[in-house]
Amino acid sequence: MNRINERFAALKQQAKKGFIVYIGAGDPNLDATLKLALAFDEAGVDVLELGVPFSDPLADGLVNQLAAQRGLESGTTPAKVLATVAAIRERSQIPIVLYIYFNLLHRCGVEKFIKNAAHAGVDGLLVLDLPPEESENYETLMRDAGMRVIYLVAPTTPDERIELIVKRGTGFIYYVSREGVTGMQARVSDTIGAMVAKIRASTELPVAVGFGISNPEQARTVAASAEAIVVGSAVVNQIARYGDGPELVPQVAGYVKSLVDAVKTM
């Protein structure tokens, strides 16, 4: 069974909520990415999302755009990200999802990239700009490789399209809790509960909610409505703060653990 499915099955059995963390791969360098991944596993993170640096990350806000830029400047490539995943796998079985833009798959060759990702130990892909209507061959390749296809649902997604998306997704559904690009917010949306209920009406997959969560109170509030929460920009902002200094891993891991604890002690 895929690690994502195993983790969510274990969470359900334990009546616990899941915690997903996003960071930009190669920010500030791939050695730091490896160390952070292992520290997150120790802190109780359930799924790690690694953003593969891209020159035109249209779905990302400024914080994650700058992380992608730092990743590119550190020499990070898709192949090097997969090598880092393989290095993580030598010491950890934390489920890993790559957050990636389709141009990177296309340039490598979709079939080749999927095979290489599966071989490295990647468990799923979230391709930001690939809609399910254009994903049939991609989904087949992913299924054959044993990886999960993660799709996004937004507050503006029509009901009939929600049904289409969730039937095509595997692993979990990522609900983007507000309109626009990634980024931290002062408060969480008050429509999360209703939208998650609408998604659940069409699927038995776990629902993970992200975009804007930045503190333990918000994490606890959102987790009450979903199977998991996703925190990205707030963690990436911490990475930017500490850079490649000696405090990077302990400080960022400590921040993440405070959020994990808020969700796990509900």
Side-chain angles (χ1 to χ4, degrees):
M1 185 183 288
N2 182 278
R3 294 181 190 87
I4 294 170
N5 297 83
E6 289 179 343
R7 183 59 57 94
F8 276 106
L11 288 167
K12 184 176 182 179
Q13 187 175 27
Q14 298 162 12
K16 294 287 187 181
K17 302 291 186 171
F19 189 92
I20 302 172
V21 69
Y22 167 92
I23 61 173
D27 174 26
N29 54 64
L30 286 169
D31 183 57
T33 300
L34 169 60
K35 291 176 180 177
L36 285 166
L38 298 175
F40 292 158
D41 193 7
E42 289 288 327
V45 169
D46 293 294
V47 180
L48 173 63
E49 274 189 15
L50 291 178
V52 182
F54 182 52
S55 59
D56 196 19
L58 296 177
D60 294 291
L62 180 60
V63 170
N64 288 351
Q65 285 182 14
L66 292 173
Q69 182 177 321
R70 291 191 296 269
L72 292 172
E73 290 172 351
S74 73
T76 301
T77 64
K80 290 180 180 179
V81 173
L82 296 185
T84 300
V85 171
I88 294 170
R89 281 286 164 256
E90 293 178 0
R91 300 168 61 183
S92 169
Q93 293 302 308
I94 186 172
I96 295 175
V97 173
L98 296 188
Y99 175 107
I100 191 169
Y101 289 85
F102 184 73
N103 190 60
L104 295 175
L105 275 74
H106 177 69
R107 182 169 182 178
C108 176
V110 177
E111 183 173 3
K112 178 182 177 182
F113 184 87
I114 289 172
K115 286 183 177 179
N116 289 347
H119 181 72
V122 175
D123 301 292
L125 298 181
L126 196 171
V127 185
L128 274 296
D129 49 354
L130 182 62
E133 293 89 344
E134 301 176 20
S135 302
E136 186 171 344
N137 184 56
Y138 161 75
E139 291 174 0
T140 299
L141 292 170
M142 289 286 287
R143 182 173 60 248
D144 291 346
M147 288 201 293
R148 299 299 175 251
V149 176
I150 313 301
Y151 283 129
L152 299 171
V153 172
T156 54
T157 305
D159 291 358
E160 62 274 13
R161 194 153 191 279
I162 289 176
E163 292 183 19
L164 167 69
I165 291 170
V166 301
K167 286 176 182 175
R168 300 282 289 270
T170 54
F172 63 91
I173 300 298
Y174 189 154
Y175 174 57
V176 178
S177 61
R178 61 181 180 79
E179 299 173 42
V181 296
T182 59
M184 297 169 287
Q185 296 293 305
R187 66 182 186 87
V188 299
S189 169
D190 56 7
T191 63
I192 291 173
M195 282 299 297
V196 170
K198 187 179 293 187
I199 294 168
R200 282 205 186 107
S202 299
T203 183
E204 294 184 358
L205 289 176
V207 180
V209 179
F211 276 44
I213 301 166
S214 59
N215 60 55
E217 182 181 359
Q218 291 176 342
R220 194 177 293 110
T221 298
V222 175
S225 299
E227 280 75 29
I229 68 166
V230 186
V231 181
S233 296
V235 178
V236 173
N237 199 47
Q238 292 287 317
I239 293 172
R241 176 181 177 184
Y242 292 102
D244 59 0
E247 292 300 304
L248 172 66
V249 175
Q251 290 291 340
V252 175
Y255 170 72
V256 167
K257 191 172 190 311
S258 72
L259 299 173
V260 171
D261 289 346
V263 170
K264 299 296 184 181
T265 55
M266 290 179 62

